[in-house]
Amino acid sequence: MRFLIVDDDESIILFLRTFLSAYAECLTACDGMEALSAFEAALEEDRPFTAVFMDILMPGMDGNEVVQALRRIEDAHNPAERFKLIMISVLTDTKNVSESFFHGRAEAYLPKPLRRETLLAELAKLGLIPPPPQSP
């Protein structure tokens, strides 16, 4: 499994990489252009990303624009499996949340500040990580 983490905040990248590296190879990008480049390279190497974690507020292209470009690239390559999109943002308004789900085809929208329990529970729900063990 491979995850792409896209955020211009190094602390968010560190937080996500810390928890996610136990489950998948994690690559990071700090802006939209870097994310597009990494995504295209992964498809060309036939090592696509299982999931993309995308911030919305970034310099240059915002996360919603980047996601639209990623989906166009993905559609052109027509991979066997589509990547799961997890949006991560301080923006929780209806416009951004709706755009992420309806135009970006997001599977999850996690508000910042991120919490470990929320992150892991959402990833388990999406089948990206094993569910936590049940307490007796």
Side-chain angles (χ1 to χ4, degrees), residues 16-35:
L16 288 170
R17 186 186 291 149
T18 298
F19 293 111
L20 300 177
S21 61
Y23 305 102
E25 177 186 358
C26 295
L27 279 73
T28 62
C30 61
D31 62 38
M33 294 309 292
E34 197 176 330

Side-chain angles (χ1 to χ4, degrees), residues 2-120:
R2 299 179 83 208
F3 294 161
L4 176 61
I5 302 166
V6 186
D7 202 305
D8 61 324
D9 183 337
E10 188 62 39
S11 66
I12 297 296
I13 287 176
L14 180 61
F15 173 86
L16 288 170
R17 186 186 291 149
T18 298
F19 293 111
L20 300 177
S21 61
Y23 305 102
E25 177 186 358
C26 295
L27 279 73
T28 62
C30 61
D31 62 38
M33 294 309 292
E34 197 176 330
L36 292 173
S37 178
F39 190 81
E40 283 188 293
L43 287 174
E44 288 171 13
E45 295 166 5
D46 201 26
R47 297 185 65 221
F49 291 105
T50 310
V52 174
F53 297 79
M54 180 68 64
D55 184 23
I56 293 178
L57 294 175
M58 294 187 296
M61 299 173 76
D62 73 29
N64 288 317
E65 293 171 312
V66 176
V67 167
Q68 292 300 312
L70 294 179
R71 292 296 187 193
R72 283 191 299 273
I73 293 166
E74 182 180 59
D75 289 343
H77 280 81
N78 198 23
E81 297 254 341
R82 304 286 181 186
F83 72 88
K84 292 192 183 317
L85 175 62
I86 297 95
M87 298 300 288
I88 49 175
S89 183
V90 296
L91 301 176
T92 57
D93 59 282
T94 304
K95 177 188 175 293
N96 280 292
V97 174
S98 294
E99 185 166 340
S100 295
F101 282 109
F102 295 112
H103 296 139
R105 296 176 274 182
E107 278 77 19
Y109 197 102
L110 300 176
K112 290 180 183 178
L114 295 173
R115 293 185 43 229
R116 178 184 180 275
E117 301 78 24
T118 306
L119 171 68
L120 297 178

